[in-house]
């Protein structure tokens, strides 16, 4: 098992390298480099050449790439092109909101969806099962901003609770105050990831339920509840953890839309702003951070799947 | 398991004669028939409606996409009324007309990108299978690197680099989703290429082209075509999300995703919510409609496809 995990970690590392190359080259295809953007169209050739030399843009791509990667790994994310502020400072101001919303979504959304998924598998074709799968067919295909709009219309405009914009400082807030503060963004993201998680955890359980040892348990006369909770669930943990991780990785996308929708300051609004002002240094750094989170979550999913498989844990 | 289709009278064929085709034989599998359920019909109705609107929208729109229904008055976020059946938006324009113009753009971009992703993905995926292990390894590794990125990040990087325009959106979405189609086409191709009939064709000395077009493709087509709907949903959501972030279709052109963003203020001011709800509902009904059809078709075909999304 150690060998398998080590191999997976190595693949993860190689993936991150490939990702960094894609992001680096992706932002290099633009016409006009950092010097051009900073000095504007009317800059003299001499000034441009000087700044290029200062920024190292006259060197070959591979050298630029290695410098950039080295700086990134040592925590120097460079300066934003607009405003010339250090990007690590901008991130430090904003990462909290993104982290809080994602973490609370996971904290609230995952247990509820798994409970619903297991319940749906426990009583297949019951009203609960049917309404849950009907709802998830709808929610899984609807865009985040549609779900957010429905929630805003119901809670803010109809019930008069909360506000359509999340604003104000979260300094010194406790857990429940934070949940209240970010209630609508969290609820939106929960709906988005729940639909997938319920569907897939139910499928994972029903898949295990088709195996012969479950049939044996049924023939022994065990009640269905007990079979699911004691026999099937343990063997479904691998796929279920995988499902959870996949959906948490999806939060990387969901959180961007939600931050813009409820217009609060976070990393996602920062990268969107970077794209709008074509500040490619900012897009590079934040893109790397988002992708790293994504790759790490995927890695955890795979390792969890390896560790939850008894055949891999105790090799013969 | 008995297949009810076998018992239909229409499948009864007169005894074998010289010019009977294989498909007409009594024992051959009946041509795949899709009978929609109630939800399937609902999906078809909704999607059909939007396709019709996408084509006819600009011709039936009461105003141009940037015309003002009430040019003389200050008329931001008016409630629905005669003359502006869905009210007006943040810049006093007619919401209904913009919705009708946006339909063609949202659907057109998404369908073109999906078709492109399918064309490239299928060609490369099946190509990787038949071209041998070395090409397959190179293509698969490159593909894995792209697959390990969140799609929206790829979109953001490209838009940051070259700016946003409709051709850029189509190419970006097309390339991004090529990766997923590639993986699917490759895995289906892998299953097929080891089949006996492909081996038989190889042994007969058939060329690569013949094997791909006559042996591999006909057998890979059905699962790939059924997956098309799911991919289309994802592409519509991708394009709409980019537009919603202000990085997709650029104003003043109307597009459903950007309409939601432009009019978000309506929710905050407590003005008419229609300018936000109408485009959001349009996207949701379209994607949910497609999902209902895909779900229905795959339930009829064994129900495996819905899990792939």
């Amino acid at each position: 098992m150690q060998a398998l995990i080590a191999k997976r970690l190595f693949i993860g590392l190689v993936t991150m390298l490939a990702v960094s190359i894609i992001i680096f080259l992706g932002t290099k295809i633009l016409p006009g480099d950092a010097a051009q953007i900073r000095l504007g169209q009317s800059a003299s050739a001499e000034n441009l050449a000087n700044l290029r030399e200062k920024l190292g843009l006259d060197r070959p791509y591979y050298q630029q790439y290695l410098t950039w990667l080295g700086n990134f790994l040592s925590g120097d994310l460079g300066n934003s092109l607009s405003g010339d502020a250090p990007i690590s400072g901008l991130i430090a101001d904003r990462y909290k909101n993104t982290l809080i919303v994602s973490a609370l979504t996971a904290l609230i959304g995952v247990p509820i969806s798994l409970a619903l998924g297991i319940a749906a598998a426990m009583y297949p074709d019951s009203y609960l099962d049917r309404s849950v799968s009907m709802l998830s067919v709808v929610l899984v295909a609807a865009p985040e901003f549609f779900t957010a709009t429905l929630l805003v219309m119901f809670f803010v405009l109809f019930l008069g609770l909360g506000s359509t914009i999340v604003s104000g400082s979260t300094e010194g807030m406790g857990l429940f105050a934070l949940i209240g503060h970010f209630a609508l963004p969290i609820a939106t993201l929960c709906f988005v990831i729940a639909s997938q998680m319920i569907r897939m955890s139910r499928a994972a359980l029903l898949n295990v339920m088709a195996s012969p040892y479950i049939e044996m348990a049924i023939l022994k006369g065990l009640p269905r509840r007990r079979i699911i909770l004691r026999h099937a669930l343990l063997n479904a943990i691998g796929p279920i953890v995988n499902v959870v991780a996949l959906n948490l990785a999806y939060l990387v996308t969901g959180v961007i839309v939600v931050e813009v929708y409820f217009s609060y300051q976070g990393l996602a609004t920062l990268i969107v702003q970077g794209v709008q002002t074509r500040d490619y240094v900012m897009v590079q750094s934040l893109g790397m951070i988002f992708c790293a989170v994504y790759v790490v979550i995927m890695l955890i999913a795979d390792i969890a799947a390896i560790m939850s498989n008894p055949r891999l844990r105790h090799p013969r | 398991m008995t297949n009810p289709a076998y018992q239909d009278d229409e499948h009864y064929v007169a005894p074998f004669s010289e010019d009977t085709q294989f498909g007409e034989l009594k024992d051959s599998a009946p041509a795949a028939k899709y009978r929609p359920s109630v939800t399937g019909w609902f999906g078809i109705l909704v999607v059909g409606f939007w396709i019709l609107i996408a084509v006819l929208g600009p011709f039936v729109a009461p105003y141009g996409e940037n015309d003002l229904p009430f040019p003389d008055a200050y008329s931001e976020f008016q409630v629905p009324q005669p003359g502006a059946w869905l009210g007006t938006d943040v810049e006093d324009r007619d919401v209904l007309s913009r919705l009708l113009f946006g339909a063609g753009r949202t659907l057109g971009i998404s369908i073109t990108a999906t078709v492109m992703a399918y064309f490239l993905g299928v060609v490369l995926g099946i190509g990787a299978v038949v071209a041998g292990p070395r090409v397959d390894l190179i293509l698969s590794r490159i593909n894995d690197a792209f697959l390990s990125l969140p799609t929206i990040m790829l979109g953001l990087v490209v838009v940051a680099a070259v700016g946003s325009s409709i051709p850029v959106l189509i190419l970006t979405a097309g390339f991004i989703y090529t990766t997923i189609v590639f993986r699917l086409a490759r895995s289906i191709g892998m299953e097929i290429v080891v089949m006996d009939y492909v081996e038989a064709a190889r042994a007969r000395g058939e060329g690569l082209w013949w094997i791909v077009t006559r042996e591999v493709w006909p057998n890979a087509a059905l699962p790939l075509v059924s997956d098309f709907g799911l991919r289309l949903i994802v592409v519509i959501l991708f394009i709409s999300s980019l537009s919603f972030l202000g990085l997709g279709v650029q104003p003043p052109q109307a597009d459903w995703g950007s309409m939601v963003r432009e009019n978000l203020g309506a929710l905050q001011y407590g003005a008419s919510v229609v300018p936000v709800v109408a485009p959001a509902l349009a996207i949701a009904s379209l994607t949910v409609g497609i999902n209902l059809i895909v779900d229905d078709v795959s339930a009829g075909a064994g129900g495996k496809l819905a899990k792939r999304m």
Side-chain angles (χ1 to χ4, degrees):
Chain A
M1 182 180 72
Q2 275 90 349
L4 257 179
I5 292 179
K7 192 179 161 204
R8 187 61 191 81
L9 282 173
F10 178 73
I11 294 176
L13 210 64
V14 174
T15 310
M16 265 328 286
L17 270 181
V19 166
S20 69
I21 294 175
I22 291 174
I23 289 183
F24 182 79
L25 288 183
T27 48
K28 280 287 168 198
I29 49 177
L30 84 169
D33 54 10
Q36 186 89 60
I37 293 171
R38 222 180 267 188
L39 296 177
Q41 289 297 331
S42 54
S44 72
E46 198 185 335
N47 284 346
L48 273 176
N50 281 339
L51 190 60
R52 280 200 183 117
E53 203 184 327
K54 199 181 134 211
L55 295 173
L57 295 172
D58 52 345
R59 288 179 299 157
Y61 274 2
Y62 77 95
Q63 281 187 11
Q64 290 186 39
Y65 167 73
L66 289 177
T67 322
W68 171 71
L69 191 66
N71 287 343
F72 184 87
L73 291 177
S74 61
D76 174 12
L77 305 186
N79 290 358
S80 76
L81 291 181
S82 46
D84 216 6
I87 290 174
S88 40
L90 292 173
I91 290 175
D93 289 344
R94 297 186 177 217
Y95 79 96
K96 268 190 203 145
N97 283 346
T98 305
L99 201 63
I100 290 171
V101 170
S102 320
L104 288 179
T105 303
L107 199 70
I108 298 170
V110 173
I112 294 180
S113 343
L114 290 189
L116 282 174
I118 293 169
M122 217 180 278
Y123 308 105
D125 276 329
S126 63
Y127 279 115
L128 173 83
D129 183 28
R130 276 190 222 164
S131 44
V132 161
S133 49
M134 196 61 218
L135 193 69
S136 55
V137 167
V138 173
L139 280 176
V140 83
E144 287 90 354
F145 47 79
F146 177 71
T147 315
T149 304
L150 288 187
L151 288 173
V152 163
M153 280 172 60
F154 183 72
F155 286 105
V156 181
L157 302 179
F158 182 68
L159 294 180
L161 296 167
S163 122
T164 50
I165 295 186
V166 177
S167 61
S169 161
T170 55
E171 210 60 55
M173 275 193 185
L175 180 65
F176 289 101
L178 279 177
I179 293 177
H181 186 75
F182 290 113
L184 285 173
I186 293 174
T188 306
L189 287 177
C190 278
F191 271 112
V192 172
I193 62 167
S195 49
Q196 279 274 42
M197 270 195 283
I198 295 172
R199 236 171 119 120
M200 288 160 75
S201 56
R202 173 182 177 275
L205 254 182
L206 287 182
N207 207 10
V208 175
M209 291 296 282
S211 44
Y213 81 98
I214 296 290
E215 202 174 332
M216 179 69 208
I218 296 173
L219 291 176
K220 274 201 302 191
L222 293 182
R224 195 172 165 88
R225 262 177 67 114
R226 195 178 150 83
I227 293 176
I228 296 242
L229 295 178
R230 297 288 303 259
H231 297 252
L233 200 52
L234 278 177
N235 278 314
I237 282 180
I240 286 179
V241 170
N242 210 1
V243 168
V244 169
L246 277 176
N247 283 286
L248 291 186
Y250 180 76
L251 279 181
V252 170
T253 307
V255 90
I256 298 181
V257 173
V258 168
E259 269 180 31
V260 171
Y261 193 99
F262 294 102
S263 55
Y264 60 90
Q265 302 288 309
L267 291 187
T269 38
L270 197 62
I271 192 170
V272 170
Q273 199 182 311
V275 176
Q276 273 160 350
T277 55
R278 302 187 66 175
D279 183 342
Y280 79 87
V281 182
M282 186 125 92
V283 175
Q284 268 176 352
S285 300
L286 282 167
M288 275 298 280
I289 293 175
F290 274 102
C291 291
V293 171
Y294 189 83
V295 170
V296 168
I297 296 177
M298 292 302 208
L299 194 65
I300 294 173
D302 283 358
I303 291 179
I306 294 173
M307 289 175 66
S308 67
N309 186 339
R311 274 185 218 142
L312 295 177
R313 213 166 50 222
H314 305 288
R316 261 179 262 173
Chain B
M1 217 169 74
T2 56
N3 187 337
Y6 279 113
Q7 292 152 7
D8 285 355
D9 283 346
E10 55 184 300
H11 283 280
Y12 178 76
V13 183
F16 187 73
S17 76
E18 277 286 296
D19 38 38
T20 308
Q21 300 273 305
F22 173 72
E24 296 167 15
L25 286 179
K26 217 172 150 191
D27 289 348
S28 77
K33 255 191 183 171
Y34 166 52
R35 291 205 181 81
S37 68
V38 180
T39 50
W41 274 119
F42 182 70
I44 293 171
L45 220 64
V46 171
V47 175
F49 171 76
W50 284 124
I51 291 175
L52 206 67
I53 293 289
V55 177
L56 299 179
F59 304 106
V60 296
Y63 301 93
E65 67 182 316
N66 292 305
D67 290 352
L68 313 180
F70 311 111
D72 307 326
Y74 174 77
S75 52
E76 183 191 65
F77 295 139
Q78 292 294 306
V79 291
Q81 56 191 282
W85 293 105
L86 289 178
T88 58
D89 75 351
V90 63
E91 285 177 22
D92 308 0
R93 296 166 299 198
D94 183 36
V95 174
L96 177 63
S97 303
R98 284 182 73 75
L99 200 69
L100 294 174
F101 273 93
R105 216 162 274 138
T106 302
L107 259 174
I109 293 173
S110 309
I111 291 179
T112 317
T114 315
V115 168
M116 180 187 145
Y118 256 81
F119 181 74
L120 281 178
V122 168
V123 168
L124 289 173
I126 293 189
V129 172
V130 292
R134 197 169 297 164
V135 179
D136 179 40
L137 189 76
I138 296 171
L139 283 178
S140 297
R141 282 293 158 271
I142 297 175
N143 198 55
D144 284 350
F146 278 98
L147 267 176
S148 63
L149 289 164
T151 52
I152 196 94
M153 279 299 142
L154 280 173
L156 291 186
V157 169
V158 173
V159 173
V162 295
S164 189
S165 63
I166 290 181
V168 168
L169 284 177
I170 292 175
L171 289 177
T172 310
F175 273 118
I176 289 176
Y177 290 101
T178 297
T179 56
I180 297 171
V181 179
F182 171 86
R183 194 173 58 170
L184 181 65
R186 181 179 166 275
S187 75
I188 292 173
M190 281 288 179
E191 282 172 31
I192 292 172
V193 96
V194 293
M195 294 284 185
D196 291 343
Y197 55 79
V198 175
E199 207 145 314
R202 279 226 177 101
R204 281 204 307 274
E206 303 289 0
L208 195 64
W209 179 249
W210 203 92
I211 292 179
V212 170
T213 52
R214 300 291 187 80
E215 305 284 354
V216 178
W217 171 247
N219 290 292
L222 188 69
L224 281 171
V225 169
S226 323
D227 178 75
F228 186 88
L230 292 184
R231 220 42 60 206
L232 184 59
I233 295 175
V234 179
V235 173
I236 293 173
L237 293 180
F238 173 79
I239 297 284
S240 309
S241 296
L242 271 187
S243 287
F244 172 77
L245 296 175
L247 309 172
V249 176
Q250 294 298 309
Q253 289 184 315
D255 158 272
W256 290 348
S258 47
M259 283 175 74
V260 175
R261 179 202 178 83
E262 288 168 354
N263 299 318
L264 265 188
L267 295 178
Q268 289 149 19
Y269 308 144
S272 162
V273 295
V274 181
V276 179
V277 175
L281 189 66
I283 298 172
S285 63
L286 175 63
T287 49
V288 171
I290 300 173
N291 202 19
L292 289 178
I293 300 176
V294 172
D295 229 47
D296 200 38
V297 172
S298 66
K304 256 169 78 183
L305 289 159
K307 286 184 206 156
R308 287 216 180 104
M309 194 168 147

